[in-house]
mmCIF file of all heavy atoms in Angstrom:
data_model
loop_
_atom_site.group_PDB
_atom_site.id
_atom_site.type_symbol
_atom_site.label_atom_id
_atom_site.label_comp_id
_atom_site.label_asym_id
_atom_site.label_seq_id
_atom_site.Cartn_x
_atom_site.Cartn_y
_atom_site.Cartn_z
ATOM 1 N N VAL A 1 0.850 -1.194 0.000
ATOM 2 C CA VAL A 1 0.000 0.000 0.000
ATOM 3 C C VAL A 1 0.883 1.240 0.000
ATOM 4 O O VAL A 1 2.046 1.206 0.410
ATOM 5 C CB VAL A 1 -0.953 0.048 1.223
ATOM 6 C CG1 VAL A 1 -1.860 -1.161 1.252
ATOM 7 C CG2 VAL A 1 -0.172 0.163 2.516
ATOM 8 N N GLU A 2 0.310 2.329 -0.467
ATOM 9 C CA GLU A 2 0.997 3.622 -0.442
ATOM 10 C C GLU A 2 0.367 4.469 0.647
ATOM 11 O O GLU A 2 -0.798 4.866 0.539
ATOM 12 C CB GLU A 2 0.882 4.316 -1.800
ATOM 13 C CG GLU A 2 1.606 5.656 -1.869
ATOM 14 C CD GLU A 2 1.527 6.300 -3.236
ATOM 15 O OE1 GLU A 2 1.072 5.616 -4.188
ATOM 16 O OE2 GLU A 2 1.905 7.474 -3.355
ATOM 17 N N ILE A 3 1.107 4.751 1.705
ATOM 18 C CA ILE A 3 0.536 5.487 2.823
ATOM 19 C C ILE A 3 0.310 6.940 2.411
ATOM 20 O O ILE A 3 1.134 7.550 1.726
ATOM 21 C CB ILE A 3 1.436 5.389 4.073
ATOM 22 C CG1 ILE A 3 0.666 5.887 5.314
ATOM 23 C CG2 ILE A 3 2.750 6.132 3.882
ATOM 24 C CD1 ILE A 3 1.333 5.531 6.622
ATOM 25 N N SER A 4 -0.820 7.483 2.816
ATOM 26 C CA SER A 4 -1.190 8.845 2.425
ATOM 27 C C SER A 4 -0.862 9.841 3.532
ATOM 28 O O SER A 4 -0.695 9.475 4.705
ATOM 29 C CB SER A 4 -2.687 8.917 2.131
ATOM 30 O OG SER A 4 -3.435 8.709 3.329
ATOM 31 N N GLU A 5 -0.780 11.115 3.158
ATOM 32 C CA GLU A 5 -0.559 12.168 4.147
ATOM 33 C C GLU A 5 -1.719 12.230 5.138
ATOM 34 O O GLU A 5 -1.523 12.550 6.302
ATOM 35 C CB GLU A 5 -0.392 13.519 3.455
ATOM 36 C CG GLU A 5 0.927 13.700 2.738
ATOM 37 C CD GLU A 5 2.110 13.743 3.700
ATOM 38 O OE1 GLU A 5 1.917 14.078 4.889
ATOM 39 O OE2 GLU A 5 3.226 13.435 3.265
ATOM 40 N N THR A 6 -2.913 11.904 4.668
ATOM 41 C CA THR A 6 -4.075 11.911 5.557
ATOM 42 C C THR A 6 -3.903 10.892 6.671
ATOM 43 O O THR A 6 -4.141 11.192 7.856
ATOM 44 C CB THR A 6 -5.360 11.609 4.765
ATOM 45 O OG1 THR A 6 -5.546 12.613 3.774
ATOM 46 C CG2 THR A 6 -6.572 11.574 5.690
ATOM 47 N N VAL A 7 -3.490 9.687 6.314
ATOM 48 C CA VAL A 7 -3.277 8.654 7.330
ATOM 49 C C VAL A 7 -2.148 9.066 8.263
ATOM 50 O O VAL A 7 -2.260 8.943 9.498
ATOM 51 C CB VAL A 7 -2.974 7.296 6.670
ATOM 52 C CG1 VAL A 7 -2.507 6.278 7.699
ATOM 53 C CG2 VAL A 7 -4.207 6.780 5.945
ATOM 54 N N LEU A 8 -1.051 9.561 7.712
ATOM 55 C CA LEU A 8 0.076 9.978 8.543
ATOM 56 C C LEU A 8 -0.349 11.049 9.540
ATOM 57 O O LEU A 8 0.037 11.013 10.713
ATOM 58 C CB LEU A 8 1.213 10.491 7.661
ATOM 59 C CG LEU A 8 2.010 9.426 6.915
ATOM 60 C CD1 LEU A 8 2.879 10.062 5.842
ATOM 61 C CD2 LEU A 8 2.872 8.612 7.880
ATOM 62 N N SER A 9 -1.142 12.002 9.096
ATOM 63 C CA SER A 9 -1.562 13.086 9.991
ATOM 64 C C SER A 9 -2.491 12.574 11.088
ATOM 65 O O SER A 9 -2.456 13.062 12.223
ATOM 66 C CB SER A 9 -2.258 14.199 9.207
ATOM 67 O OG SER A 9 -3.482 13.760 8.657
ATOM 68 N N ARG A 10 -3.302 11.565 10.766
ATOM 69 C CA ARG A 10 -4.253 11.046 11.757
ATOM 70 C C ARG A 10 -3.588 10.176 12.817
ATOM 71 O O ARG A 10 -4.116 10.054 13.938
ATOM 72 C CB ARG A 10 -5.355 10.248 11.051
ATOM 73 C CG ARG A 10 -6.309 11.107 10.227
ATOM 74 C CD ARG A 10 -7.376 10.260 9.570
ATOM 75 N NE ARG A 10 -8.243 9.622 10.565
ATOM 76 C CZ ARG A 10 -9.120 8.661 10.278
ATOM 77 N NH1 ARG A 10 -9.228 8.231 9.027
ATOM 78 N NH2 ARG A 10 -9.859 8.137 11.230
ATOM 79 N N ILE A 11 -2.432 9.581 12.495
ATOM 80 C CA ILE A 11 -1.791 8.699 13.478
ATOM 81 C C ILE A 11 -0.734 9.425 14.303
ATOM 82 O O ILE A 11 -0.242 8.871 15.289
ATOM 83 C CB ILE A 11 -1.162 7.460 12.810
ATOM 84 C CG1 ILE A 11 -0.020 7.850 11.871
ATOM 85 C CG2 ILE A 11 -2.228 6.644 12.098
ATOM 86 C CD1 ILE A 11 0.727 6.652 11.297
ATOM 87 N N ARG A 12 -0.392 10.656 13.935
ATOM 88 C CA ARG A 12 0.592 11.390 14.728
ATOM 89 C C ARG A 12 0.030 11.674 16.109
ATOM 90 O O ARG A 12 -1.023 12.262 16.264
ATOM 91 C CB ARG A 12 0.977 12.707 14.040
ATOM 92 C CG ARG A 12 1.850 12.498 12.821
ATOM 93 C CD ARG A 12 2.316 13.805 12.192
ATOM 94 N NE ARG A 12 2.955 13.523 10.916
ATOM 95 C CZ ARG A 12 2.547 13.995 9.744
ATOM 96 N NH1 ARG A 12 1.502 14.807 9.693
ATOM 97 N NH2 ARG A 12 3.195 13.682 8.635
ATOM 98 N N GLY A 13 0.755 11.244 17.143
ATOM 99 C CA GLY A 13 0.326 11.466 18.521
ATOM 100 C C GLY A 13 -0.722 10.493 19.017
ATOM 101 O O GLY A 13 -1.191 10.614 20.148
ATOM 102 N N ALA A 14 -1.102 9.508 18.193
ATOM 103 C CA ALA A 14 -2.141 8.549 18.584
ATOM 104 C C ALA A 14 -1.514 7.275 19.153
ATOM 105 O O ALA A 14 -0.373 6.934 18.852
ATOM 106 C CB ALA A 14 -3.014 8.193 17.385
ATOM 107 N N THR A 15 -2.265 6.573 19.992
ATOM 108 C CA THR A 15 -1.803 5.304 20.529
ATOM 109 C C THR A 15 -1.820 4.248 19.423
ATOM 110 O O THR A 15 -2.472 4.427 18.383
ATOM 111 C CB THR A 15 -2.709 4.822 21.677
ATOM 112 O OG1 THR A 15 -4.025 4.626 21.155
ATOM 113 C CG2 THR A 15 -2.736 5.829 22.809
ATOM 114 N N PRO A 16 -1.131 3.106 19.632
ATOM 115 C CA PRO A 16 -1.166 2.039 18.626
ATOM 116 C C PRO A 16 -2.581 1.575 18.309
ATOM 117 O O PRO A 16 -2.899 1.286 17.145
ATOM 118 C CB PRO A 16 -0.337 0.932 19.278
ATOM 119 C CG PRO A 16 0.613 1.654 20.165
ATOM 120 C CD PRO A 16 -0.165 2.826 20.710
ATOM 121 N N GLU A 17 -3.438 1.495 19.331
ATOM 122 C CA GLU A 17 -4.802 1.030 19.101
ATOM 123 C C GLU A 17 -5.567 1.999 18.199
ATOM 124 O O GLU A 17 -6.282 1.586 17.278
ATOM 125 C CB GLU A 17 -5.535 0.860 20.434
ATOM 126 C CG GLU A 17 -5.022 -0.267 21.301
ATOM 127 C CD GLU A 17 -3.694 0.043 21.971
ATOM 128 O OE1 GLU A 17 -3.313 1.241 22.031
ATOM 129 O OE2 GLU A 17 -3.022 -0.901 22.440
ATOM 130 N N ALA A 18 -5.409 3.303 18.471
ATOM 131 C CA ALA A 18 -6.079 4.298 17.635
ATOM 132 C C ALA A 18 -5.509 4.285 16.221
ATOM 133 O O ALA A 18 -6.254 4.411 15.232
ATOM 134 C CB ALA A 18 -5.937 5.687 18.262
ATOM 135 N N SER A 19 -4.202 4.112 16.110
ATOM 136 C CA SER A 19 -3.566 4.058 14.793
ATOM 137 C C SER A 19 -4.024 2.838 14.012
ATOM 138 O O SER A 19 -4.248 2.910 12.791
ATOM 139 C CB SER A 19 -2.039 4.045 14.939
ATOM 140 O OG SER A 19 -1.578 5.234 15.531
ATOM 141 N N ALA A 20 -4.173 1.713 14.698
ATOM 142 C CA ALA A 20 -4.634 0.496 14.038
ATOM 143 C C ALA A 20 -6.020 0.709 13.425
ATOM 144 O O ALA A 20 -6.305 0.231 12.311
ATOM 145 C CB ALA A 20 -4.664 -0.666 15.030
ATOM 146 N N ALA A 21 -6.879 1.429 14.136
ATOM 147 C CA ALA A 21 -8.219 1.709 13.622
ATOM 148 C C ALA A 21 -8.144 2.573 12.357
ATOM 149 O O ALA A 21 -8.906 2.365 11.400
ATOM 150 C CB ALA A 21 -9.057 2.406 14.689
ATOM 151 N N VAL A 22 -7.210 3.536 12.336
ATOM 152 C CA VAL A 22 -7.030 4.388 11.156
ATOM 153 C C VAL A 22 -6.585 3.544 9.966
ATOM 154 O O VAL A 22 -7.100 3.688 8.849
ATOM 155 C CB VAL A 22 -5.999 5.501 11.437
ATOM 156 C CG1 VAL A 22 -5.670 6.267 10.150
ATOM 157 C CG2 VAL A 22 -6.527 6.455 12.503
ATOM 158 N N PHE A 23 -5.642 2.629 10.199
ATOM 159 C CA PHE A 23 -5.154 1.764 9.123
ATOM 160 C C PHE A 23 -6.252 0.833 8.619
ATOM 161 O O PHE A 23 -6.377 0.607 7.410
ATOM 162 C CB PHE A 23 -3.950 0.951 9.600
ATOM 163 C CG PHE A 23 -2.631 1.632 9.363
ATOM 164 C CD1 PHE A 23 -2.201 2.636 10.204
ATOM 165 C CD2 PHE A 23 -1.828 1.273 8.293
ATOM 166 C CE1 PHE A 23 -0.986 3.277 9.990
ATOM 167 C CE2 PHE A 23 -0.617 1.903 8.062
ATOM 168 C CZ PHE A 23 -0.187 2.912 8.917
ATOM 169 N N ARG A 24 -7.063 0.294 9.519
ATOM 170 C CA ARG A 24 -8.157 -0.588 9.097
ATOM 171 C C ARG A 24 -9.153 0.171 8.218
ATOM 172 O O ARG A 24 -9.634 -0.346 7.216
ATOM 173 C CB ARG A 24 -8.861 -1.182 10.319
ATOM 174 C CG ARG A 24 -8.076 -2.274 11.028
ATOM 175 C CD ARG A 24 -8.974 -3.055 11.977
ATOM 176 N NE ARG A 24 -9.525 -2.201 13.031
ATOM 177 C CZ ARG A 24 -8.931 -2.009 14.204
ATOM 178 N NH1 ARG A 24 -7.763 -2.587 14.470
ATOM 179 N NH2 ARG A 24 -9.487 -1.231 15.114
ATOM 180 N N GLU A 25 -9.426 1.406 8.622
ATOM 181 C CA GLU A 25 -10.360 2.225 7.849
ATOM 182 C C GLU A 25 -9.800 2.541 6.462
ATOM 183 O O GLU A 25 -10.531 2.522 5.465
ATOM 184 C CB GLU A 25 -10.639 3.524 8.602
ATOM 185 C CG GLU A 25 -11.582 4.473 7.878
ATOM 186 C CD GLU A 25 -11.760 5.782 8.626
ATOM 187 O OE1 GLU A 25 -11.609 5.792 9.870
ATOM 188 O OE2 GLU A 25 -12.034 6.799 7.961
ATOM 189 N N ALA A 26 -8.486 2.820 6.412
ATOM 190 C CA ALA A 26 -7.877 3.246 5.147
ATOM 191 C C ALA A 26 -7.558 2.080 4.221
ATOM 192 O O ALA A 26 -7.721 2.191 2.993
ATOM 193 C CB ALA A 26 -6.611 4.053 5.433
ATOM 194 N N TYR A 27 -7.100 0.947 4.791
ATOM 195 C CA TYR A 27 -6.551 -0.125 3.963
ATOM 196 C C TYR A 27 -7.236 -1.471 4.153
ATOM 197 O O TYR A 27 -6.798 -2.475 3.594
ATOM 198 C CB TYR A 27 -5.050 -0.265 4.226
ATOM 199 C CG TYR A 27 -4.313 1.043 4.041
ATOM 200 C CD1 TYR A 27 -3.637 1.643 5.090
ATOM 201 C CD2 TYR A 27 -4.325 1.703 2.805
ATOM 202 C CE1 TYR A 27 -2.980 2.865 4.930
ATOM 203 C CE2 TYR A 27 -3.670 2.912 2.626
ATOM 204 C CZ TYR A 27 -3.003 3.489 3.690
ATOM 205 O OH TYR A 27 -2.368 4.691 3.526
ATOM 206 N N GLY A 28 -8.305 -1.490 4.933
ATOM 207 C CA GLY A 28 -9.072 -2.712 5.099
ATOM 208 C C GLY A 28 -8.735 -3.450 6.378
ATOM 209 O O GLY A 28 -7.641 -3.316 6.942
ATOM 210 N N ALA A 29 -9.684 -4.245 6.828
ATOM 211 C CA ALA A 29 -9.552 -4.946 8.109
ATOM 212 C C ALA A 29 -8.426 -5.963 8.110
ATOM 213 O O ALA A 29 -7.918 -6.341 9.178
ATOM 214 C CB ALA A 29 -10.868 -5.639 8.458
ATOM 215 N N GLU A 30 -7.995 -6.410 6.932
ATOM 216 C CA GLU A 30 -6.960 -7.444 6.868
ATOM 217 C C GLU A 30 -5.543 -6.879 6.907
ATOM 218 O O GLU A 30 -4.577 -7.647 6.978
ATOM 219 C CB GLU A 30 -7.141 -8.269 5.578
ATOM 220 C CG GLU A 30 -8.491 -8.958 5.461
ATOM 221 C CD GLU A 30 -8.781 -9.842 6.660
ATOM 222 O OE1 GLU A 30 -7.870 -10.606 7.060
ATOM 223 O OE2 GLU A 30 -9.898 -9.758 7.202
ATOM 224 N N PHE A 31 -5.411 -5.564 6.852
ATOM 225 C CA PHE A 31 -4.053 -5.002 6.851
ATOM 226 C C PHE A 31 -3.360 -5.338 8.174
ATOM 227 O O PHE A 31 -3.897 -5.053 9.253
ATOM 228 C CB PHE A 31 -4.083 -3.485 6.653
ATOM 229 C CG PHE A 31 -2.700 -2.877 6.542
ATOM 230 C CD1 PHE A 31 -2.047 -2.861 5.327
ATOM 231 C CD2 PHE A 31 -2.050 -2.371 7.657
ATOM 232 C CE1 PHE A 31 -0.771 -2.322 5.209
ATOM 233 C CE2 PHE A 31 -0.775 -1.839 7.561
ATOM 234 C CZ PHE A 31 -0.126 -1.817 6.326
ATOM 235 N N PRO A 32 -2.156 -5.925 8.133
ATOM 236 C CA PRO A 32 -1.458 -6.365 9.357
ATOM 237 C C PRO A 32 -0.753 -5.191 10.042
ATOM 238 O O PRO A 32 0.476 -5.091 10.028
ATOM 239 C CB PRO A 32 -0.469 -7.396 8.827
ATOM 240 C CG PRO A 32 -0.136 -6.908 7.442
ATOM 241 C CD PRO A 32 -1.403 -6.300 6.908
ATOM 242 N N TYR A 33 -1.548 -4.341 10.664
ATOM 243 C CA TYR A 33 -0.991 -3.103 11.230
ATOM 244 C C TYR A 33 0.143 -3.361 12.208
ATOM 245 O O TYR A 33 1.202 -2.731 12.134
ATOM 246 C CB TYR A 33 -2.087 -2.283 11.923
ATOM 247 C CG TYR A 33 -1.498 -1.174 12.766
ATOM 248 C CD1 TYR A 33 -0.997 -0.012 12.170
ATOM 249 C CD2 TYR A 33 -1.378 -1.300 14.160
ATOM 250 C CE1 TYR A 33 -0.419 0.986 12.932
ATOM 251 C CE2 TYR A 33 -0.803 -0.300 14.923
ATOM 252 C CZ TYR A 33 -0.326 0.836 14.304
ATOM 253 O OH TYR A 33 0.262 1.821 15.072
ATOM 254 N N TYR A 34 -0.050 -4.287 13.140
ATOM 255 C CA TYR A 34 0.955 -4.470 14.191
ATOM 256 C C TYR A 34 2.249 -5.065 13.633
ATOM 257 O O TYR A 34 3.348 -4.756 14.120
ATOM 258 C CB TYR A 34 0.382 -5.319 15.330
ATOM 259 C CG TYR A 34 -0.644 -4.547 16.134
ATOM 260 C CD1 TYR A 34 -2.001 -4.733 15.925
ATOM 261 C CD2 TYR A 34 -0.235 -3.606 17.070
ATOM 262 C CE1 TYR A 34 -2.942 -3.994 16.636
ATOM 263 C CE2 TYR A 34 -1.164 -2.870 17.801
ATOM 264 C CZ TYR A 34 -2.516 -3.064 17.577
ATOM 265 O OH TYR A 34 -3.443 -2.321 18.272
ATOM 266 N N GLU A 35 2.139 -5.881 12.615
ATOM 267 C CA GLU A 35 3.336 -6.384 11.950
ATOM 268 C C GLU A 35 4.069 -5.237 11.247
ATOM 269 O O GLU A 35 5.306 -5.118 11.326
ATOM 270 C CB GLU A 35 2.953 -7.468 10.938
ATOM 271 C CG GLU A 35 4.142 -8.108 10.245
ATOM 272 C CD GLU A 35 3.724 -9.170 9.239
ATOM 273 O OE1 GLU A 35 2.543 -9.586 9.259
ATOM 274 O OE2 GLU A 35 4.577 -9.577 8.423
ATOM 275 N N ALA A 36 3.298 -4.392 10.565
ATOM 276 C CA ALA A 36 3.901 -3.240 9.889
ATOM 277 C C ALA A 36 4.487 -2.262 10.898
ATOM 278 O O ALA A 36 5.561 -1.691 10.673
ATOM 279 C CB ALA A 36 2.848 -2.538 9.029
ATOM 280 N N ARG A 37 3.797 -2.076 12.021
ATOM 281 C CA ARG A 37 4.295 -1.162 13.049
ATOM 282 C C ARG A 37 5.630 -1.655 13.605
ATOM 283 O O ARG A 37 6.549 -0.861 13.862
ATOM 284 C CB ARG A 37 3.272 -1.024 14.171
ATOM 285 C CG ARG A 37 3.688 -0.057 15.279
ATOM 286 C CD ARG A 37 2.548 0.139 16.277
ATOM 287 N NE ARG A 37 2.904 1.128 17.274
ATOM 288 C CZ ARG A 37 3.476 0.848 18.442
ATOM 289 N NH1 ARG A 37 3.758 -0.411 18.747
ATOM 290 N NH2 ARG A 37 3.770 1.810 19.298
ATOM 291 N N ALA A 38 5.755 -2.959 13.815
ATOM 292 C CA ALA A 38 7.011 -3.521 14.304
ATOM 293 C C ALA A 38 8.139 -3.287 13.304
ATOM 294 O O ALA A 38 9.278 -2.969 13.685
ATOM 295 C CB ALA A 38 6.846 -5.002 14.597
ATOM 296 N N ALA A 39 7.827 -3.425 12.027
ATOM 297 C CA ALA A 39 8.831 -3.182 10.983
ATOM 298 C C ALA A 39 9.223 -1.710 10.943
ATOM 299 O O ALA A 39 10.403 -1.368 10.776
ATOM 300 C CB ALA A 39 8.298 -3.619 9.625
ATOM 301 N N ARG A 40 8.239 -0.828 11.097
ATOM 302 C CA ARG A 40 8.527 0.612 11.140
ATOM 303 C C ARG A 40 9.391 0.958 12.342
ATOM 304 O O ARG A 40 10.365 1.721 12.237
ATOM 305 C CB ARG A 40 7.213 1.387 11.177
ATOM 306 C CG ARG A 40 7.355 2.904 11.031
ATOM 307 C CD ARG A 40 7.569 3.606 12.351
ATOM 308 N NE ARG A 40 6.468 3.378 13.257
ATOM 309 C CZ ARG A 40 6.524 3.687 14.548
ATOM 310 N NH1 ARG A 40 7.616 4.180 15.093
ATOM 311 N NH2 ARG A 40 5.492 3.439 15.344
ATOM 312 N N LYS A 41 9.078 0.378 13.493
ATOM 313 C CA LYS A 41 9.855 0.630 14.704
ATOM 314 C C LYS A 41 11.297 0.165 14.524
ATOM 315 O O LYS A 41 12.250 0.859 14.914
ATOM 316 C CB LYS A 41 9.215 -0.096 15.891
ATOM 317 C CG LYS A 41 9.939 0.124 17.208
ATOM 318 C CD LYS A 41 9.218 -0.599 18.339
ATOM 319 C CE LYS A 41 9.958 -0.406 19.662
ATOM 320 N NZ LYS A 41 9.285 -1.129 20.775
ATOM 321 N N SER A 42 11.481 -1.006 13.922
ATOM 322 C CA SER A 42 12.825 -1.535 13.676
ATOM 323 C C SER A 42 13.606 -0.616 12.742
ATOM 324 O O SER A 42 14.802 -0.362 12.953
ATOM 325 C CB SER A 42 12.720 -2.939 13.086
ATOM 326 O OG SER A 42 14.000 -3.458 12.791
ATOM 327 N N TRP A 43 12.930 -0.098 11.711
ATOM 328 C CA TRP A 43 13.578 0.818 10.760
ATOM 329 C C TRP A 43 14.103 2.056 11.486
ATOM 330 O O TRP A 43 15.249 2.471 11.297
ATOM 331 C CB TRP A 43 12.584 1.210 9.681
ATOM 332 C CG TRP A 43 13.170 1.943 8.506
ATOM 333 C CD1 TRP A 43 13.469 1.427 7.278
ATOM 334 C CD2 TRP A 43 13.514 3.337 8.440
ATOM 335 N NE1 TRP A 43 13.986 2.407 6.460
ATOM 336 C CE2 TRP A 43 14.027 3.592 7.148
ATOM 337 C CE3 TRP A 43 13.448 4.391 9.354
ATOM 338 C CZ2 TRP A 43 14.457 4.850 6.740
ATOM 339 C CZ3 TRP A 43 13.886 5.653 8.954
ATOM 340 C CH2 TRP A 43 14.377 5.873 7.673
ATOM 341 N N VAL A 44 13.247 2.646 12.314
ATOM 342 C CA VAL A 44 13.630 3.864 13.035
ATOM 343 C C VAL A 44 14.756 3.581 14.027
ATOM 344 O O VAL A 44 15.723 4.348 14.135
ATOM 345 C CB VAL A 44 12.408 4.469 13.758
ATOM 346 C CG1 VAL A 44 12.835 5.599 14.684
ATOM 347 C CG2 VAL A 44 11.382 4.967 12.747
ATOM 348 N N GLU A 45 14.652 2.471 14.750
ATOM 349 C CA GLU A 45 15.681 2.144 15.739
ATOM 350 C C GLU A 45 17.028 1.899 15.077
ATOM 351 O O GLU A 45 18.075 2.293 15.618
ATOM 352 C CB GLU A 45 15.249 0.926 16.552
ATOM 353 C CG GLU A 45 14.118 1.237 17.528
ATOM 354 C CD GLU A 45 13.702 0.032 18.343
ATOM 355 O OE1 GLU A 45 14.120 -1.104 17.976
ATOM 356 O OE2 GLU A 45 12.956 0.208 19.321
ATOM 357 N N ASN A 46 17.023 1.263 13.919
ATOM 358 C CA ASN A 46 18.279 1.042 13.205
ATOM 359 C C ASN A 46 18.905 2.359 12.774
ATOM 360 O O ASN A 46 20.122 2.545 12.854
ATOM 361 C CB ASN A 46 18.046 0.142 11.986
ATOM 362 C CG ASN A 46 17.775 -1.289 12.366
ATOM 363 O OD1 ASN A 46 18.168 -1.749 13.442
ATOM 364 N ND2 ASN A 46 17.096 -2.025 11.500
ATOM 365 N N PHE A 47 18.062 3.283 12.315
ATOM 366 C CA PHE A 47 18.570 4.595 11.908
ATOM 367 C C PHE A 47 19.182 5.320 13.097
ATOM 368 O O PHE A 47 20.296 5.861 13.018
ATOM 369 C CB PHE A 47 17.440 5.436 11.307
ATOM 370 C CG PHE A 47 17.886 6.817 10.891
ATOM 371 C CD1 PHE A 47 18.273 7.059 9.586
ATOM 372 C CD2 PHE A 47 17.926 7.867 11.804
ATOM 373 C CE1 PHE A 47 18.693 8.322 9.199
ATOM 374 C CE2 PHE A 47 18.348 9.134 11.430
ATOM 375 C CZ PHE A 47 18.730 9.359 10.123
ATOM 376 N N ILE A 48 18.454 5.338 14.220
ATOM 377 C CA ILE A 48 18.922 6.079 15.398
ATOM 378 C C ILE A 48 20.178 5.443 15.979
ATOM 379 O O ILE A 48 21.081 6.136 16.466
ATOM 380 C CB ILE A 48 17.797 6.181 16.440
ATOM 381 C CG1 ILE A 48 16.704 7.132 15.908
ATOM 382 C CG2 ILE A 48 18.317 6.654 17.792
ATOM 383 C CD1 ILE A 48 15.490 7.229 16.779
#
């Protein structure tokens, strides 16, 4: 999927649960949000 600025703006400052709801709304109930979130976290931690 291609993440949109709308989704990015809605998840800024939100908890994982609230962010998961945004992703489900945008990309469907089957989107593996927590798996993707773990990958995003790993990416950021590697950079830092």
Side-chain angles (χ1 to χ4, degrees):
V1 301
E2 182 178 350
I3 193 166
S4 67
E5 287 293 336
T6 299
V7 170
L8 285 167
S9 66
R10 290 181 64 191
I11 64 174
R12 287 184 189 120
T15 62
E17 292 74 17
S19 297
V22 172
F23 270 79
R24 286 195 298 269
E25 179 183 333
Y27 306 118
E30 301 305 314
F31 184 84
Y33 167 76
Y34 288 100
E35 183 180 347
R37 182 174 184 268
R40 188 272 300 168
K41 181 178 179 181
S42 178
W43 191 101
V44 171
E45 288 181 347
N46 288 336
F47 179 95
I48 290 175

